[in-house]
Amino acid sequence: MGKNNKKWVSILLTVLFAVITVIALTPVVSLIVASMRPSSELMRQGLSFFFDPAALDLGNYLAVFSEEGASYWQWYMNSLIVSGGLIVLSLFFSSMVGYALAMYNFKGARVIFMLVLFVLMVPFEILMLPLYQMMIGLNLVDTYFAVMLPLIVAPVAVFFFRQYCLGLPKELMESARIDGCTEYGIFFKIMAPLMGPSFAAMAILQGLTSWNNFLWPLLILRSNEMFTLPVGLATLLTPYGNNYELLFSGSVLTIVPIVILFLFFQKFFISGLTVGGVKG
């Protein structure tokens, strides 16, 4: 390919990525603009880029921090507890399962891995009804644990950790055994530190999944005090009136924890996904 052709390809790719970026950011910008417009204007014009800049203010955000937003912060705290707990528990259990499937040759390992792949291909919506009946039997309905339990050992996380662990040197395990280290010691003291990028990548993915999860919490949670953010915000839209002030400004504030999580782990995110995706 000639130098001129490379230049044109580079220009076309730049334009293409710029268009994709604009398309991807349009809903976010529209939401931020809507969060600073009075609800009366939203009722009249809907979500529109055509607005009066002088009409923008932070009144909707003040409503979130007023007495009116008390339930919102309770939902916010519920989402932080559920997402934080799910990240910790999922990384712990899923990494151990993936590590065992990759590093140990035991009877039934292949069958277990095939089952993981099978469950990975089954939509979660199909499993919700039996899971709901199971939660009723365990008396866990309307609890934090009921929201987290079905996702603690996620098939996608197990698959990801297994693929990552296939690239770890088994010679380290043999050396540690000779030095008298237990199998749990090998995992926690030697292998887990080497799996840092995979933990970071999966923490972001699991955090995103849990933070945005709507259908399962909607089914399993009953009381307003236990609602997570997606479920709580949905209750602001009713046949008798919509609380747009709290809905739009509250939706913008839900982005903050995800941005912080990504900034905290971004250093390892790309390398973790790349290595975990090519080993096998």
Side-chain angles (χ1 to χ4, degrees):
M1 184 180 293
K3 189 174 180 180
N4 287 334
N5 289 337
K6 286 184 178 178
K7 183 180 177 181
W8 278 110
V9 169
S10 176
I11 292 173
L12 287 174
L13 287 176
T14 302
V15 173
L16 176 64
F17 289 138
V19 172
I20 293 174
T21 302
V22 170
I23 294 173
L25 291 178
T26 296
V28 179
V29 175
S30 177
L31 177 64
I32 293 173
V33 170
S35 70
M36 292 187 288
R37 295 170 63 193
S39 58
S40 57
E41 199 173 325
L42 284 169
M43 292 287 290
R44 191 168 56 251
Q45 299 179 353
L47 293 176
S48 171
F49 282 107
F50 300 101
F51 59 90
D52 181 11
L56 299 182
D57 59 41
L58 298 178
N60 293 340
Y61 289 93
L62 294 177
V64 175
F65 290 96
S66 67
E67 188 177 347
E68 185 184 358
S71 293
Y72 173 80
W73 293 114
Q74 180 62 51
W75 303 334
Y76 212 100
M77 183 57 66
N78 293 340
S79 281
L80 287 175
I81 293 172
V82 170
S83 298
L86 182 62
I87 290 174
V88 173
L89 293 173
S90 175
L91 294 186
F92 181 78
F93 289 109
S94 299
S95 64
M96 293 186 76
V97 176
Y99 170 79
L101 290 175
M103 307 301 281
Y104 293 95
N105 294 319
F106 58 92
K107 194 173 182 180
R110 188 174 179 82
V111 175
I112 294 174
F113 182 58
M114 289 296 111
L115 287 174
V116 171
L117 293 180
F118 175 74
V119 177
L120 185 62
M121 291 182 282
V122 177
F124 184 75
E125 288 76 9
I126 295 178
L127 304 175
M128 280 201 305
L129 185 56
L131 284 172
Y132 180 67
Q133 291 176 327
M134 185 185 301
M135 294 303 151
I136 293 175
L138 295 173
N139 198 25
L140 291 176
V141 174
D142 203 26
T143 63
Y144 294 133
F145 201 61
V147 183
M148 294 187 285
L149 188 59
L151 301 173
I152 284 178
V153 185
V156 64
V158 172
F159 176 79
F160 180 80
F161 281 117
R162 177 190 177 273
Q163 298 303 100
Y164 192 92
C165 290
L166 288 174
L168 299 179
K170 291 188 177 181
E171 293 79 8
L172 290 176
M173 299 174 65
E174 299 299 330
S175 300
R177 287 188 186 117
I178 293 173
D179 291 338
C181 192
T182 64
E183 297 302 319
Y184 288 105
I186 293 173
F187 176 73
F188 288 111
K189 296 178 181 178
I190 298 175
M191 293 303 185
L194 298 177
M195 297 165 63
S198 64
F199 281 118
M202 197 45 61
I204 293 176
L205 295 178
Q206 288 292 84
L208 275 172
T209 302
S210 175
W211 190 258
N212 296 323
N213 194 7
F214 174 72
L215 200 53
W216 175 244
L218 177 67
L219 182 66
I220 203 68
L221 298 177
R222 302 278 177 81
S223 58
N224 183 67
E225 293 75 20
M226 293 300 298
F227 284 165
T228 55
L229 263 176
V231 179
L233 289 174
T235 62
L236 298 177
L237 299 173
T238 69
Y240 310 103
N242 304 321
N243 192 341
Y244 287 123
E245 292 90 346
L246 204 58
L247 179 63
F248 288 114
S249 55
S251 298
V252 172
L253 293 177
T254 61
I255 302 172
V256 176
I258 296 301
V259 173
I260 294 175
L261 183 67
F262 183 78
L263 292 176
F264 190 73
F265 288 117
Q266 65 171 338
K267 180 180 177 183
F268 307 104
F269 183 62
I270 300 299
S271 60
L273 283 181
T274 305
V275 176
V278 299
K279 298 295 182 185

